[in-house]
Amino acid sequence: NPEELDSCDGMILPGGVPDVDPALYAEENQGSRGVNPALDQAQLRMLDRAVELAIPVLGICRGYQLMNVHFGGSL
């Protein structure tokens, strides 16, 4: 729940699987495995809220990739 970030000092976007959905950066899936669009959207909503609140975010592996996509990058 993004509203729960109101009482947090920071947020971690963890690594692991699945891969970030290539559709989020306007690409076709050419080997990404186990994409989970619902997870991507949930984590992007959390990231939106963290940015809105100006709290620090640590992205680990997949989390860092998701942050890159959030700010307009590609993989």
Side-chain angles (χ1 to χ4, degrees):
N1 179 357
E3 300 308 315
E4 292 178 12
L5 284 174
D6 293 358
S7 61
C8 296
D9 295 323
M11 183 178 86
I12 296 176
L13 284 173
V17 293
D19 291 338
V20 175
D21 186 354
L24 292 174
Y25 49 95
E27 293 289 336
E28 289 185 30
N29 188 338
Q30 297 182 10
S32 295
R33 291 176 281 165
V35 296
N36 183 337
L39 176 63
D40 290 340
Q41 291 305 316
Q43 290 183 332
L44 286 169
R45 284 192 304 275
M46 294 291 288
L47 184 53
D48 283 338
R49 185 69 180 153
V51 169
E52 184 179 305
L53 295 171
I55 63 171
V57 178
L58 172 63
I60 301 169
C61 196
R62 179 192 189 283
Y64 189 77
Q65 294 173 8
L66 195 65
M67 289 171 63
N68 178 56
V69 170
H70 177 271
F71 290 106
S74 65
L75 304 177

